């Protein structure tokens, strides 16, 4: 191994170490004291409940672990958005589980909490996955009610999704394991079946204090909406559980009886490990985001047997397209090539940039994968589309639009891995969040922005300097350097993968060595949902 490999490896392993450290903090939710309080009440934490529910030793992936990171500081923060979401297996059946974290503001719903719950429901609906809700929430976080209550993608959308999933035949099971108040009371009752834990679970439209204030009735919460009331008098809930574990055992027993699903029929053979060492990825991926490298070296460490059938290998070389298998599943890979390439005409093309020929190639390949019913995997390390008079006259806008059209209208499941840069329109063409990937996740090396930090800071610093000069202020080189450094620092924070993950622009930040697991579980989930539409590019400029 050369010195550059070792430097890259040290850098990427340091990023991974920081990821693990950040995750260890997030896993504590509202903190150790609140966890102890929950245990004293005879309750398990959200993560303990999920761990008990899911099959031991089976693979699972967590959606949105870093949601809310760095947000709501004035309100005490909202680790993981106050809700834990995992895709895993219950009695061997793949499910998605959503658990309120009662250590974070008593499980109250922040605006980002609603967004994360809606994402979980979206995954369930797209993939026809059974969804399990472990409810323990004080309801909407009132100081921010104006950001969560009335709009289309706010709290009420969750109940609309409950109703739509029911009509789609998607199994929904709820366990009321703590408070379930006001509008939130509809979620478990709009599920197919509802379990309530005796003495700790309660469900009502208005608690005892509000009932007293509204109609003058004096009543305690247990009598008003406890397990006995709803299992024996109102009939609102279906099962009474003696404690958390009993409720989770009942869920396991119910899921165990669910029948088989129709499959989409994606091709899968016996999984094989890559022939090349996956750990080499740490040394191949450059320390700096503007350095060149060969993306094929990454691909060969992600695919089964390191076997890749390249499509149009010698044409449009700044995008790699081809067929492979990941954990046995057939996939079509669309990846940005990050090394400078030379065309047959003798022209040099920059790595990570999408040119007309590479956009044309990707469009054709995406159409082929849709025809063959092969899931698509996008490996993003893109700085954008090529600019300049030659590109404009060559129709870069037209060819870029064709690629975006193909990505938009693709009917096979898409999975996006942000390896490095994800800038500007390149993010769109390579299936960014706006283009409905079934899962989108980032490596710790990822950066998401309209353009790179240095470029953006230079542009913004020049604009600010011109503005100051127009006001009569003197701007010397030292002042320009100060402006640049200040803007660059702010921009660098915003391009961080944690900034994107906190806002759910990505589903997760993961160890590159977990990429195969995420893609495999994602395709397995997608295989629950047969394709119902035909691929159609619509009207495009040829």
């Amino acid at each position: 191994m050369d010195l550059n490999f070792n430097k890259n490896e040290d850098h990427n392993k340091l990023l991974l170490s920081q990821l693990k450290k950040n995750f260890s903090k997030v896993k504590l939710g509202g903190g150790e004291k609140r966890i102890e309080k929950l245990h004293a009440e005879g309750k398990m934490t959200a993560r303990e409940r999920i761990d008990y529910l899911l099959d031991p030793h089976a693979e699972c992936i967590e959606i949105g672990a870093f949601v809310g990171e760095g947000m709501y500081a004035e309100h005490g923060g909202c680790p993981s958005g106050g809700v834990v979401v995992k895709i895993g297996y219950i009695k061997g059946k793949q499910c998605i589980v959503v658990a309120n974290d009662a250590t974070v503001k008593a499980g109250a719903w922040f605006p980002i909490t609603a967004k994360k719950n809606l994402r979980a429901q979206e995954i369930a609906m797209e993939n026809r996955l059974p969804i399990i809700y472990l409810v323990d929430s004080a309801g909407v976080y009132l100081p921010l009610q104006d950001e969560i209550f009335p709009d289309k993608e706010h709290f009420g959308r969750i109940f609309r999704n409950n109703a739509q999933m029911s009509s789609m035949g998607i199994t929904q099971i709820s366990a009321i394991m703590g408070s379930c108040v006001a509008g939130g009371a509809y979620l478990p009752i709009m599920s197919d079946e509802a379990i309530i834990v005796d003495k700790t679970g309660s469900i009502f439209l208005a608690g005892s204090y509000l009932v007293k204030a509204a109609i003058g009735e004096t009543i305690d919460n247990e009598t008003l909406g406890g397990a006995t009331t709803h299992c024996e008098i109102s009939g609102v809930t279906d099962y009474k559980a003696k404690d958390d574990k009993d409720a989770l055992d009942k869920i396991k027993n119910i899921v165990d009886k669910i029948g088989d699903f129709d499959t989409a029929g994606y091709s899968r053979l016996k999984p094989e490990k890559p022939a090349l060492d996956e750990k080499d990825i740490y040394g191949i991926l450059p320390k700096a985001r503007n350095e060149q490298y060969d993306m094929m070296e990454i691909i060969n460490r992600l695919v089964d047997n390191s076997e890749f059938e390249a499509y149009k290998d010698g044409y449009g070389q700044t995008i790699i397209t081809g067929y492979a298998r990941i954990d046995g599943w057939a996939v079509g890979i669309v990846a940005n090539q990050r090394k400078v390439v030379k065309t047959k005409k003798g022209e040099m093309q920059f790595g990570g940039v999408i040119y007309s020929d590479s956009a044309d190639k990707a469009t054709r390949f995406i159409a082929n994968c849709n025809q063959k019913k092969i899931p698509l995997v996008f490996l993003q390390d893109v700085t954008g589309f090529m600019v300049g008079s030659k590109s404009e006259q060559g129709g870069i806008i037209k060819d870029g639009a064709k690629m975006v059209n193909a990505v938009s209208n693709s009917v096979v499941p898409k999975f996006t891995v942000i390896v490095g840069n994800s800038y500007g329109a390149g993010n769109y063409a390579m299936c960014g969040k706006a283009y409905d990937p079934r899962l989108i996740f980032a490596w710790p090396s990822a950066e998401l922005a309209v353009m790179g930090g240095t470029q953006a800071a230079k542009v913004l610093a020049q604009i600010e300097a011109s503005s100051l000069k127009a006001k009569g202020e003197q701007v010397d080189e030292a002042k320009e350097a100060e402006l640049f450094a200040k803007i660059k620092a702010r921009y660098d924070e915003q391009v961080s993968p944690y900034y994107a993950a906190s806002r759910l622009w990505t589903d997760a930040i993961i160890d590159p060595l977990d990429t195969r697991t995420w893609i495999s579980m994602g395709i397995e989930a997608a295989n629950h949902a047969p394709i119902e539409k035909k691929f159609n590019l619509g009207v495009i400029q040829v």
Side-chain angles (χ1 to χ4, degrees):
M1 299 298 177
D2 60 22
L3 181 60
N4 197 47
F5 182 98
N6 292 335
K7 286 181 178 179
N8 291 339
E9 185 177 45
D10 289 344
H11 173 72
N12 287 309
K13 285 187 174 180
L14 191 63
L15 291 179
L16 181 60
S17 176
Q18 187 61 51
L19 173 65
K20 291 177 179 177
K21 183 179 178 181
N22 292 346
F23 183 58
S24 294
K25 183 179 177 183
V26 159
K27 283 172 69 176
L28 293 174
E32 292 179 349
K33 288 186 177 179
R34 291 180 182 173
I35 291 173
E36 289 172 6
K37 183 181 177 184
L38 208 64
H39 287 163
E41 296 171 356
K43 296 164 70 175
M44 303 163 75
T45 67
R47 291 184 179 278
E48 288 168 345
R49 286 166 175 167
I50 292 178
D51 287 346
Y52 183 84
L53 182 61
L54 296 181
D55 295 346
H57 312 302
E59 296 282 8
C60 72
I61 57 178
E62 180 168 351
I63 305 295
F66 292 105
V67 162
E69 183 86 355
M71 301 170 68
Y72 311 117
E74 66 276 23
H75 298 279
C78 188
S80 282
V83 63
V84 182
V85 177
K86 290 190 180 184
I87 300 174
Y89 302 88
I90 301 172
K91 295 290 186 177
K93 188 170 292 290
Q94 196 177 43
C95 301
I96 185 164
V97 185
V98 181
N100 297 116
D101 187 348
T103 70
V104 180
K105 290 285 190 294
W109 289 60
F110 283 67
I112 200 69
T113 314
K115 186 174 182 179
K116 186 171 175 179
N117 275 266
L118 289 170
R119 176 60 179 146
Q121 290 184 320
E122 179 183 40
I123 291 170
M125 293 168 81
E126 285 181 329
N127 299 291
R128 305 294 198 273
L129 278 184
I131 184 167
I132 315 298
Y133 307 101
L134 307 181
V135 185
D136 192 347
S137 172
V140 167
Y141 184 63
L142 291 177
L144 296 174
Q145 64 85 27
D146 62 319
E147 298 178 39
I148 189 176
F149 170 60
D151 209 348
K152 180 177 179 179
E153 300 298 333
H154 283 179
F155 193 59
R157 185 78 170 185
I158 291 163
F159 314 132
R160 173 264 191 192
N161 287 351
N162 287 140
Q164 291 226 325
M165 281 190 280
S166 183
S167 71
M168 294 166 67
I170 298 170
T171 299
Q172 301 176 81
I173 303 168
S174 289
I176 302 153
M177 310 180 85
S179 297
C180 191
V181 185
Y186 287 104
L187 184 147
I189 307 312
M190 292 187 75
S191 300
D192 302 329
E193 295 181 86
I195 300 152
I196 186 168
V197 179
D198 195 21
K199 300 299 186 287
T200 55
S202 59
I203 179 168
F204 34 63
L205 294 181
S208 56
Y209 291 119
L210 186 54
V211 167
K212 177 70 174 176
I215 63 173
E217 181 183 3
T218 301
I219 190 169
D220 64 273
N221 282 340
E222 182 63 26
T223 306
L224 183 66
T228 299
T229 295
H230 286 311
C231 284
E232 299 177 17
I233 301 173
S234 72
V236 164
T237 52
D238 306 305
Y239 309 91
K240 183 196 285 190
K242 62 182 180 181
D243 56 24
D244 280 8
K245 286 187 177 181
D246 187 34
L248 298 170
D249 284 337
K250 290 182 186 300
I251 294 173
K252 292 180 184 182
N253 290 335
I254 296 168
V255 172
D256 187 43
K257 312 303 185 298
I258 297 174
D260 287 339
F261 52 87
D262 295 332
T263 67
Y266 303 122
S267 171
R268 192 181 198 189
L269 300 179
K270 180 184 176 183
E272 301 285 352
K273 290 283 189 182
L276 299 176
D277 190 350
E278 297 172 74
K279 293 179 183 177
D280 287 348
I281 289 173
Y282 300 131
I284 295 166
L285 196 63
K287 178 178 178 180
R289 291 274 38 86
N290 60 350
E291 289 183 23
Q292 301 287 303
Y293 67 96
D294 187 352
M295 180 62 88
M296 275 308 308
E297 294 297 323
I298 300 289
I299 292 171
N300 286 334
R301 287 159 176 82
L302 291 177
V303 301
D304 291 13
N305 287 322
S306 300
E307 293 175 352
F308 181 79
E309 187 66 41
Y311 172 82
K312 288 185 176 290
D313 194 25
Y315 175 71
Q317 295 177 73
T318 64
I319 285 184
I320 297 169
T321 52
Y323 304 106
R325 289 188 182 272
I326 292 179
D327 200 39
W329 294 103
V331 295
I333 293 176
V334 181
N336 302 113
Q337 176 57 285
R338 279 307 311 269
K339 68 178 184 179
V340 174
V341 298
K342 190 175 182 179
T343 69
K344 286 190 175 180
K345 295 179 180 179
E347 299 170 337
M348 304 304 293
Q349 294 187 341
F350 298 104
V353 179
I354 302 174
Y355 290 77
S356 284
D357 55 357
S358 49
D360 175 65
K361 176 172 86 169
T363 301
R364 290 166 179 257
F365 181 71
I366 290 166
N368 282 344
C369 287
N370 274 271
Q371 186 179 48
K372 296 177 176 71
K373 203 158 69 171
I374 300 173
L376 285 159
V377 174
F378 293 82
L379 300 178
Q380 284 195 10
D381 195 344
V382 58
T383 52
F385 285 88
M386 191 58 191
V387 297
S389 60
K390 188 173 182 180
S391 290
E392 297 294 357
Q393 291 167 14
I396 185 65
I397 295 175
K398 177 180 67 178
D399 291 317
K402 286 194 293 186
M403 183 175 174
V404 169
N405 198 313
V407 172
S408 302
N409 287 303
S410 181
V411 296
V412 295
K414 299 166 291 191
F415 302 89
T416 303
V417 187
I418 305 174
V419 171
N421 301 329
S422 180
Y423 297 156
N427 169 283
Y428 301 160
M430 291 295 293
C431 197
K433 183 67 182 290
Y435 293 81
D436 298 322
R438 296 294 177 97
L439 294 172
I440 177 170
F441 47 95
W443 290 359
S445 48
E447 291 187 357
L448 287 82
V450 171
M451 64 178 73
T454 300
Q455 302 155 284
K458 282 180 180 177
V459 172
L460 293 170
Q462 288 170 3
I463 292 170
E464 193 161 334
S466 298
S467 177
L468 291 173
K469 288 174 183 177
K471 294 175 183 176
E473 295 186 33
Q474 188 173 350
V475 180
D476 55 19
E477 285 187 12
K479 181 65 174 177
E480 286 183 350
E482 180 188 336
L483 285 173
F484 173 79
K486 182 180 176 182
I487 293 170
K488 177 76 161 57
R490 184 177 73 238
Y491 205 87
D492 283 347
E493 179 187 351
Q494 293 178 355
V495 303
S496 158
Y498 293 96
Y499 193 90
S502 71
R503 288 152 180 80
L504 211 53
W505 300 344
T506 61
D507 291 317
I509 307 170
I510 70 162
D511 181 343
L513 302 191
D514 292 332
T515 302
R516 283 169 52 85
T517 298
W518 273 74
I519 292 171
S520 177
M521 288 190 67
I523 298 176
E524 181 182 349
N527 204 35
H528 288 75
I531 296 172
E532 296 175 348
K533 295 194 300 182
K534 289 190 178 297
F535 177 65
N536 187 338
L537 276 179
V539 178
I540 61 171
Q541 296 283 344
V542 296

